[in-house]
Amino acid sequence: MGSIEKIHEMLVSKECSCTELTKSYLDEIEKADGELNAYVNVTGEEALKTAEAVDRKIASGEEIGMLEGVPMTLKDNISTKGIETTCCSKILTGYKPIYNATVWETLAGENAVMLGKTNMDEFAMGSSCETSYFGGAMNPFDSNYVSGGSSGGVASAVGANIAAYGLGSDTGGSIRQPASFCGIVGLKPTYGAVSRYGLIAYASSLDQIGPITKSVEDAAIVFDAISKRDEKDSTSKGFVGGTYSKLNNDIKGMKIGIAKEYLEGVRDDVKEAVLKAADIYKSMGAEIVYFDLPELKFALPVYYIIACAEASSNLGRYDGIRFGYKTEHYNGTHDMVCRTRSEGFGEEVKRRILLGTYVLSAGYYDAYYKKAQNLRGTIVKAFNNAFEKCDVILAPTVPMTAFEKGHAVSDPIETYLTDICTVPVNIAGLPGVSVPCGFNAKGMPIGMQLIGKSFGEAEILNAAYKYQQAAAENFKDTKWGVKL
């Protein structure tokens, strides 16, 4: 594991040049992506220019940073100046931002090699990546199964070794769920730890950018690089102290909590894998604490009311006038806006806009949106009380393993229920990391998540790292991609 460190060592020792490395990744993308559909835009020319700059730096004897020259990818809702950024929606086809998202500005400043933009559910609305205008990304363990959503393209690319790491966004589990489905690591940071400037919004009070990686070490390296305070984002606080240097701390005596409600409605194989992980922690000297968290039953309705309400507001700007798709045939401005939005948005996005507009409308605002916000406060308090009993919370990431392609489209309501374990973290603004903890009978990965206190990334990543060391067999490679 630790592919970022390995690539860094290879570049510093001149075992290979950054240009050679980048070309090998681009070659593998060309071979694998026809089946996986992880990328929606491959930026080979830009990647090779950056690689050449890194090679010149190494040749002149200059030191390079840990992420310098490492090939990576970005979810297609993270703004990249002059490079098409579509949120995998017809309504944003052809849109090229005039500025960079802060996270990409930071990584570009460190000479990160961006291989391209990756597939996602349209405007991050979905749990399978299949609502994408470009078709869904497939699972690297078995391409008959979905990669998960909404950051499915990043997870597919990283899982298939056609990107060393990637950045996704997590509104209700959209980093952790695909990481779980694809057998890799996904970190959803504390709300405000990473700048959202340049992230095309779905639900502004829930959205958070974070890393998707092959290992816990890599997640810590990337998180430390992007978790800086940003004056362009009024909700940004940044993260002080770093996490990578704190990996491998002893967890003897750590209290790991398991809320009984997190295990309700979870498939037997997933529950068994999570409880087996608890036993591994126990063998390392941690204490397992069981407790009740009944407020979790409010999480899913609260999430869908707040997320859809904010989406209704955020997506109001797509009108065919300012940027993106515009209908060809219309009669007057009102008709043009109506037709543009009807033709430009997919069915899932329309469904959520309608729901959000309804809960914000006169006569229903108090009954739905206001009540959801009050219950959000109840959930925050419940987590605060839980952390008086334990240091971190252990839970399944998703109640099931990856489902076959087409399933989510045929039953969208059941698909919404896959978010039951992940949405509470976003509602409360807490950090959560998903790590592989086993496989089902068909060999598909199972993920568990560790949830921490606000700005407790160092604690959950350290606990995840200790588990990774103890259960390395769960961190399997797939048949795809560059072999380092």
Side-chain angles (χ1 to χ4, degrees), residues 178-209:
S180 174
F181 279 7
C182 294
I184 50 179
V185 176
L187 172 66
K188 182 267 168 193
T190 304
Y191 186 79
V194 176
S195 172
R196 290 183 299 110
Y197 180 77
L199 173 68
I200 297 175
Y202 164 16
S204 305
S205 74
L206 302 166
D207 296 341
Q208 188 61 74
I209 294 171

Side-chain angles (χ1 to χ4, degrees), residues 14 65 204 247 358 363:
K14 299 182 182 176
S204 305
L247 296 181
Y358 177 79

Side-chain angles (χ1 to χ4, degrees), residues 40 57 78 94 131 195 260 292 342 356 425:
V40 294
K57 197 170 176 181
I78 297 173
T131 69
S195 172
K260 293 169 188 172
D292 294 321
S342 297
V425 168

Side-chain angles (χ1 to χ4, degrees), residues 26 39 41-48 72 83 114-117:
L26 292 170
Y39 284 85
N41 186 6
V42 177
T43 53
E45 193 176 323
E46 292 85 351
L48 288 169
M72 50 77 68
I83 298 170
M114 184 175 71
L115 298 166
K117 307 295 287 290

Side-chain angles (χ1 to χ4, degrees), residues 125 308 311-312 315 341 345 348-358:
M125 298 181 192
C308 293
S312 170
L315 272 63
R341 288 170 66 81
F345 289 130
E348 183 60 34
V349 173
K350 290 178 194 173
R351 190 182 290 127
R352 297 195 192 197
I353 290 173
L354 286 169
L355 178 59
T357 304
Y358 177 79

Side-chain angles (χ1 to χ4, degrees), residues 190-472:
T190 304
Y191 186 79
V194 176
S195 172
R196 290 183 299 110
Y197 180 77
L199 173 68
I200 297 175
Y202 164 16
S204 305
S205 74
L206 302 166
D207 296 341
Q208 188 61 74
I209 294 171
I212 294 177
T213 62
K214 294 287 284 185
S215 69
V216 177
E217 305 98 298
D218 287 0
I221 291 167
V222 178
F223 173 71
D224 287 352
I226 62 174
S227 55
K228 306 289 190 292
R229 187 177 179 277
D230 180 16
E231 291 182 358
K232 296 191 286 292
D233 175 4
S234 61
T235 64
S236 167
K237 293 180 183 177
F239 184 90
V240 179
T243 60
Y244 181 67
S245 61
K246 294 171 184 170
L247 296 181
N248 212 23
N249 287 344
D250 190 12
I251 62 166
K252 192 174 181 181
M254 174 183 274
K255 290 184 177 179
I256 297 176
I258 298 178
K260 293 169 188 172
E261 290 78 4
Y262 267 122
L263 299 177
E264 292 173 1
V266 172
R267 288 192 184 168
D268 290 343
D269 50 1
V270 175
K271 184 177 179 179
E272 187 182 325
V274 172
L275 292 177
K276 187 179 175 184
D279 289 338
I280 290 173
Y281 276 120
K282 203 170 177 180
S283 72
M284 289 190 278
E287 181 185 346
I288 306 301
V289 180
Y290 287 89
F291 63 94
D292 294 321
L293 196 59
E295 293 82 1
L296 283 180
K297 68 177 179 285
F298 302 131
L300 210 58
V302 165
Y303 168 75
Y304 276 105
I305 288 170
I306 292 173
C308 293
E310 293 184 10
S312 170
S313 175
N314 279 326
L315 272 63
R317 71 193 73 178
Y318 305 109
D319 53 14
I321 297 170
R322 285 164 281 198
F323 41 70
Y325 173 79
K326 180 179 180 178
T327 189
E328 291 181 9
H329 308 290
Y330 56 91
N331 183 21
T333 304
H334 179 80
D335 186 52
M336 185 273 291
V337 173
C338 184
R339 285 177 182 272
T340 294
R341 288 170 66 81
S342 297
E343 295 167 14
F345 289 130
E347 292 305 310
E348 183 60 34
V349 173
K350 290 178 194 173
R351 190 182 290 127
R352 297 195 192 197
I353 290 173
L354 286 169
L355 178 59
T357 304
Y358 177 79
V359 300
L360 290 175
S361 61
Y364 296 101
Y365 177 90
D366 286 347
Y368 293 103
Y369 185 72
K370 187 177 178 182
K371 190 176 286 184
Q373 289 289 16
N374 288 337
L375 282 170
R376 184 179 196 171
T378 301
I379 292 167
V380 170
K381 286 177 187 173
F383 272 108
N384 289 340
N385 292 335
F387 285 119
E388 290 177 6
K389 303 180 184 86
C390 61
D391 300 307
V392 300
I393 295 171
L394 173 65
T397 306
V398 196
M400 62 193 71
T401 50
F403 30 83
E404 291 185 63
K405 54 187 177 184
H407 177 78
V409 178
S410 64
D411 194 345
I413 303 303
E414 187 190 349
T415 309
Y416 291 171
L417 297 175
T418 64
D419 297 336
I420 189 71
C421 297
T422 51
V423 296
V425 168
N426 299 80
I427 291 167
L430 300 173
V433 61
S434 178
V435 296
C437 68
F439 300 88
N440 71 3
K442 294 181 178 177
M444 299 304 288
I446 297 170
M448 69 178 195
Q449 62 175 333
L450 292 160
I451 302 164
K453 301 166 189 171
S454 186
F455 294 98
E457 278 84 349
E459 202 162 23
I460 61 170
L461 284 170
N462 179 57
Y465 177 70
K466 296 298 284 188
Y467 175 78
Q468 178 185 288
Q469 285 185 310

